[in-house]
Amino acid sequence: MTTAPVDVDTARRDYAALVERGLSLDITRGKPSPRQLDLSADLLTLPNGQYKAEDGTDTRNYGGLKGLPELRRVFAGALQVPVDQLFAAGNSSLELMHDTIAQAMLSTLPGAPRRWADEPRIAMLCPVPGYDRHFALAERFGIELIPVPMTETGPDMDVVERLVAEDAAVKGIWCVPKYSNPTGVTFSAEVAGRLAAMPAAAPDFRIIWDNAYAVHHLTDDEPELADILALCAEAGNPDRAFVFGSTSKITFAGAGVGFFGASEANLAWWQSVLSKRTIGPDKVNQLRHALFLKDADGVRALMRKHAELIAPKFAAVDRILTEELSDLASWTKPTGGYFISLTVPEGTAKEVVRLAKEAGVALTPAGATHPYGNDPADAVIRIAPTFPELAEVEEAVRALAVCVRLAVAQRA
Amino acid sequence: MTTAPVDVDTARRDYAALVERGLSLDITRGKPSPRQLDLSADLLTLPNGQYKAEDGTDTRNYGGLKGLPELRRVFAGALQVPVDQLFAAGNSSLELMHDTIAQAMLSTLPGAPRRWADEPRIAMLCPVPGYDRHFALAERFGIELIPVPMTETGPDMDVVERLVAEDAAVKGIWCVPKYSNPTGVTFSAEVAGRLAAMPAAAPDFRIIWDNAYAVHHLTDDEPELADILALCAEAGNPDRAFVFGSTSKITFAGAGVGFFGASEANLAWWQSVLSKRTIGPDKVNQLRHALFLKDADGVRALMRKHAELIAPKFAAVDRILTEELSDLASWTKPTGGYFISLTVPEGTAKEVVRLAKEAGVALTPAGATHPYGNDPADAVIRIAPTFPELAEVEEAVRALAVCVRLAVAQRA
């Protein structure tokens, strides 16, 4: 990226004209659009009177801690977790991640010397730019957040290996391994292999493998993701990975099903703590999903329809950024997932977000992609183009470009 | 209760004949029967294509941490919690109780000097006989369980007041205030008032008010339950009570909605920790419930139909126990809830449960009604008559009586 000089007067005039228009647009969060949600309209009448699971279980009643086998089977392949090692749970994988960490705080994990609440210090590695809710979840438990740089192939493994080998307080690393939030990067096989095999000072080190976008392709060029559970087992660290996924961006964002997969030892631990918390998940909703999605092909067909709706929005962002900001900024060109990561000249991201807000365009706060909201370069802005209509996305990104040009001009 | 001598030979002969029959019956858990679940069959097609909440919220998408207002309104009266102070959550109130305690372990409660995980010792009072899942949930966090006797009007408040005033490690008391599990007792206004007003050595003492059977009447003689949140506020202890409820035994046991109510300060605390865990509950299921139940009268009408199905089962248990065990045992005659508590002669409950199991009748383990599974008198057996068909309930209770007579005869 070059940073050609921007004419301040032009930038000011353009921005004034923008404010004049009184826009009200929002590209902050990775939410599916109403049209995407319409794709799963059948869920609003299913299970259509049916309540028996394939094994005869009455889904309306208590029980079934692991979730319905027929739904776990639909997602075992996509999440790369053997069916027997995959739990289907409530409506959110975020809460599953939260709860595995909360339970690790309060109940000794397999391999752990003690419960995390009794550790003098706990830290987790946070590839940046990354997912703000991961960071907030960990920070809230008093866990120290250590940023590590993302590369084109995943987190910088030289840095990760050094920190994990040296510091026994480092208990985990946050990963969105496929179509990463917000960079769109899919971890390479080499990165996954090194994560699985690296020596860890903490015997209870965990990889939080948030495979949120496992099937969320925007193109037919689908990257292969390494099987982290298998790699960990092969490397002699069978209990190292916690795998998460959900249907939040497949069916309904608020009324889907979350999944948790791990080793037998981790699952025995999980089942023992979970059984004190609940008598079982909402199996009717799981049946509803199993009947709707049917199998992995059903998921694949549904995701193609999602791509048809959202790929044009990603293309529009790329096109407009190319037209407007080629001289000033760089951005990712993801082939899946929900985000584009825009890198503006150092020291301008916060100002861009502020200017955009005043012009009626809501952006995720600058810095949100970094632990403690602190992007030292003040350069990363996350763009979430899925929720608004295409025309609104276009308008928002053109407005964003005006704000970038002004912020850069003001700084110069 | 008198303990008339039982003829050993007769008892043995009766038991042998019972075993001979090869029964397979289960009166262990408080589960609704399939016929009860059928009452809510509409939930298997609702929301019938609809997805907008009354305020226009798209229930399919993310958001709405507190849950749908229209559903919270349906239950605010029954749970005696102002709508604004009532959260509608996932499919279980047990998990809400678990999570409030887990969060109290990890995040300082309003009024608390520190998080519970950093306390050298934590204890909770457990009225006995009580609910085994409450006890297991607390025990799992290393919380010490202190039994206090139940009376006809609630826990023995002289004992409770002394323990709570003297011991700052006592952080809470488990309560099922209406149609208590398993005694059927509804706490009197005096008991509720004393709970709300008693001096507590722990500034963060909490009443866990598990109002699981708020609307679960078996007769038209509906006891009035005191409003614990109001009583606590009046007594100057506004943050003392956590109120829980759910639709588990109103609609679907596995696919209902749980509720949590508390003071503004407690809710601010809850919202701050919850917001790191989830973006919101399953609002589609909440909409489904709101459309189905409509209002408090809808709940009342539905609960009448439940009573029509299960009251005959409770009556049958009472009738058969009267016929068979008047000379040996005593039992509760609840006017609501899900359980009958049977008291057999001291030192025989475990043996009764063992004998019943060998005769093919599954009973909740003796002692389950007490912390650590330890009923010092070995005398309490919980009967759950709702799930089996009426004829099976009758058969199971007749079998149970045979086992009681043999256990008593053997002991003599």
Side-chain angles (χ1 to χ4, degrees):
Chain A
M1 129 180 87
T2 60
T3 49
V6 178
D7 178 69
V8 180
D9 291 336
T10 309
R12 287 212 175 111
R13 225 169 16 241
D14 290 351
Y15 182 72
L18 175 68
V19 172
E20 191 76 4
R21 294 179 57 204
L23 296 178
S24 176
L25 300 167
D26 188 329
I27 49 173
T28 54
R29 302 290 339 170
K31 289 169 67 171
S33 69
R35 281 168 201 256
Q36 288 177 268
L37 297 166
D38 287 345
L39 298 174
S40 300
D42 288 354
L43 289 176
L44 296 172
T45 50
L46 282 170
N48 201 15
Q50 187 174 333
Y51 57 82
K52 290 257 169 142
E54 63 179 16
D55 66 357
T57 296
D58 186 336
T59 59
R60 303 170 301 179
N61 222 322
Y62 289 116
L65 204 59
K66 278 182 98 165
L68 278 200
E70 52 261 60
L71 185 66
R72 289 157 44 213
R73 218 163 48 220
V74 173
F75 284 95
L79 295 173
Q80 300 168 290
V81 178
V83 179
D84 280 352
Q85 288 167 240
L86 188 65
F87 272 66
N91 77 323
S92 150
S93 54
L94 189 72
E95 69 184 29
L96 287 168
M97 291 179 245
H98 173 282
D99 288 358
T100 52
I101 291 174
Q103 298 286 7
M105 298 291 288
L106 296 169
S107 266
T108 310
L109 270 178
R114 62 190 72 84
R115 57 182 202 160
W116 289 5
D118 296 328
E119 294 282 354
R121 180 178 150 249
I122 308 179
M124 290 182 78
L125 304 186
C126 303
V128 292
Y131 180 31
D132 55 347
R133 289 192 191 273
H134 285 167
F135 307 155
L137 185 168
E139 188 182 355
R140 163 250 172 293
F141 289 119
I143 295 173
E144 183 184 326
L145 308 176
I146 302 176
V148 297
M150 276 292 277
T151 73
E152 297 289 304
T153 56
D156 184 328
M157 285 307 300
D158 293 341
V159 176
V160 169
E161 283 172 344
R162 183 173 51 75
L163 289 167
V164 171
E166 280 174 6
D167 187 350
V170 173
K171 296 292 193 184
I173 180 169
W174 289 106
C175 300
V176 183
K178 200 163 181 179
Y179 304 131
S180 192
N181 176 352
T183 58
V185 163
T186 295
F187 289 17
S188 70
E190 192 217 334
V191 163
R194 288 173 73 178
L195 282 168
M198 65 188 170
D204 49 349
F205 179 82
R206 290 293 185 281
I207 301 166
I208 311 295
W209 195 255
D210 178 8
N211 201 354
Y213 307 105
V215 293
H216 301 60
H217 316 293
L218 289 168
T219 74
D220 291 334
D221 179 23
E222 299 176 3
E224 188 103 17
L225 182 65
D227 178 340
I228 194 70
L229 286 178
L231 287 175
C232 287
E234 281 161 26
N237 298 312
D239 302 331
R240 179 171 285 186
F242 282 170
V243 176
F244 300 92
S246 83
T247 70
S248 295
K249 287 166 182 127
I250 297 172
T251 59
F252 290 161
V257 179
F259 297 93
F260 173 53
S263 69
E264 303 282 359
N266 280 328
L267 290 185
W269 168 83
W270 180 243
Q271 188 142 354
S272 83
V273 295
L274 188 66
S275 67
K276 303 296 185 286
R277 179 178 183 268
T278 177
I279 313 177
D282 182 341
K283 296 184 299 299
V284 173
N285 201 36
Q286 297 187 357
L287 177 63
R288 197 175 277 129
H289 276 74
L291 293 170
F292 175 59
L293 296 168
K294 294 188 178 71
D295 52 28
D297 284 343
V299 175
R300 174 168 287 274
L302 178 58
M303 294 317 294
R304 283 239 175 75
K305 294 183 201 161
H306 279 286
E308 283 167 23
L309 292 169
I310 65 177
K313 297 178 182 177
F314 280 82
V317 174
D318 185 58
R319 179 171 46 78
I320 295 167
L321 290 177
T322 303
E323 288 168 16
E324 307 276 356
L325 291 180
S326 286
D327 55 337
L328 286 179
S330 64
W331 56 92
T332 57
K333 295 162 194 293
T335 60
Y338 260 58
F339 302 101
I340 289 162
S341 183
L342 172 69
T343 304
V344 294
E346 272 201 38
T348 63
K350 277 200 169 66
E351 176 64 4
V352 168
V353 172
R354 191 190 69 76
L355 289 169
K357 189 179 178 189
E358 299 215 339
V361 177
L363 291 166
T364 308
T369 52
H370 287 62
Y372 310 112
N374 177 29
D375 170 10
D378 186 24
V380 176
I381 293 174
R382 186 181 81 167
I383 299 175
T386 56
F387 185 79
E389 292 290 332
L390 178 59
E392 293 174 330
V393 172
E394 291 174 341
E395 197 151 43
V397 178
R398 287 212 192 273
L400 171 58
V402 170
C403 298
V404 172
R405 299 191 81 80
L406 178 58
V408 171
Q410 284 177 336
R411 197 202 48 164
Chain B
M1 123 181 91
T2 61
T3 49
V6 179
D7 178 67
V8 180
D9 293 335
T10 310
R12 287 211 174 113
R13 227 172 12 243
D14 290 350
Y15 182 71
L18 175 67
V19 172
E20 191 75 6
R21 293 179 57 204
L23 296 177
S24 177
L25 300 168
D26 188 330
I27 50 172
T28 54
R29 302 287 344 168
K31 289 168 66 170
S33 69
R35 281 168 202 257
Q36 288 178 266
L37 297 167
D38 288 344
L39 298 174
S40 300
D42 288 354
L43 290 176
L44 297 172
T45 49
L46 282 169
N48 202 15
Q50 187 173 334
Y51 57 81
K52 291 257 169 142
E54 63 180 16
D55 65 357
T57 296
D58 186 337
T59 59
R60 304 169 301 179
N61 222 323
Y62 289 115
L65 205 58
K66 279 182 98 164
L68 279 200
E70 52 260 62
L71 185 65
R72 290 157 44 214
R73 215 164 49 220
V74 174
F75 283 95
L79 294 174
Q80 298 167 292
V81 178
V83 179
D84 279 351
Q85 289 169 239
L86 189 63
F87 272 66
N91 77 323
S92 150
S93 55
L94 189 71
E95 67 184 28
L96 287 169
M97 290 179 246
H98 173 282
D99 289 358
T100 50
I101 290 175
Q103 299 286 8
M105 298 291 287
L106 296 169
S107 267
T108 309
L109 270 178
R114 62 189 72 85
R115 57 182 202 161
W116 288 6
D118 297 327
E119 293 282 354
R121 180 177 150 252
I122 308 178
M124 290 182 77
L125 304 187
C126 303
V128 291
Y131 180 30
D132 54 348
R133 290 192 190 272
H134 284 167
F135 306 157
L137 185 168
E139 188 183 354
R140 162 253 173 292
F141 289 119
I143 295 173
E144 184 184 326
L145 308 177
I146 302 176
V148 297
M150 277 292 278
T151 74
E152 298 289 305
T153 55
D156 183 328
M157 285 308 300
D158 292 341
V159 176
V160 169
E161 283 171 342
R162 184 174 50 75
L163 290 167
V164 171
E166 281 174 4
D167 187 351
V170 173
K171 295 291 193 184
I173 181 169
W174 290 106
C175 299
V176 183
K178 200 162 181 181
Y179 304 131
S180 192
N181 176 353
T183 58
V185 163
T186 296
F187 290 17
S188 70
E190 192 218 336
V191 163
R194 288 172 73 179
L195 282 168
M198 65 186 170
D204 48 350
F205 178 83
R206 289 295 184 280
I207 301 166
I208 311 293
W209 195 255
D210 178 8
N211 201 354
Y213 308 106
V215 293
H216 301 60
H217 315 291
L218 289 168
T219 74
D220 291 333
D221 179 23
E222 301 176 2
E224 189 103 19
L225 182 64
D227 179 340
I228 194 71
L229 287 177
L231 286 175
C232 287
E234 282 161 26
N237 298 311
D239 302 330
R240 180 171 283 188
F242 282 170
V243 176
F244 300 92
S246 83
T247 69
S248 294
K249 287 163 181 129
I250 297 172
T251 59
F252 291 160
V257 178
F259 298 93
F260 173 53
S263 70
E264 302 283 0
N266 280 327
L267 290 184
W269 168 84
W270 180 244
Q271 189 141 352
S272 82
V273 295
L274 188 66
S275 67
K276 302 298 187 283
R277 180 179 182 267
T278 178
I279 313 176
D282 182 341
K283 296 183 300 298
V284 174
N285 201 35
Q286 297 186 358
L287 177 62
R288 197 176 277 129
H289 276 73
L291 292 170
F292 175 59
L293 296 167
K294 293 186 177 73
D295 53 27
D297 283 343
V299 175
R300 175 168 286 274
L302 177 58
M303 294 316 294
R304 283 238 176 75
K305 294 183 200 162
H306 279 286
E308 284 168 21
L309 291 170
I310 65 176
K313 297 178 183 178
F314 281 83
V317 174
D318 186 57
R319 178 171 46 78
I320 295 167
L321 291 176
T322 304
E323 288 167 17
E324 306 277 356
L325 290 180
S326 285
D327 54 339
L328 287 178
S330 65
W331 56 93
T332 57
K333 296 164 193 294
T335 60
Y338 260 58
F339 301 101
I340 289 161
S341 183
L342 173 68
T343 304
V344 294
E346 271 202 37
T348 64
K350 278 199 169 67
E351 176 65 2
V352 168
V353 172
R354 191 190 68 77
L355 289 169
K357 188 180 179 188
E358 299 217 337
V361 178
L363 291 166
T364 306
T369 51
H370 286 62
Y372 312 112
N374 177 30
D375 171 10
D378 185 26
V380 176
I381 293 174
R382 187 182 80 167
I383 299 175
T386 55
F387 185 78
E389 292 290 330
L390 178 59
E392 293 174 332
V393 172
E394 292 173 340
E395 197 152 43
V397 177
R398 286 213 192 273
L400 170 59
V402 170
C403 298
V404 172
R405 298 192 82 79
L406 178 57
V408 172
Q410 283 177 338
R411 196 202 48 163

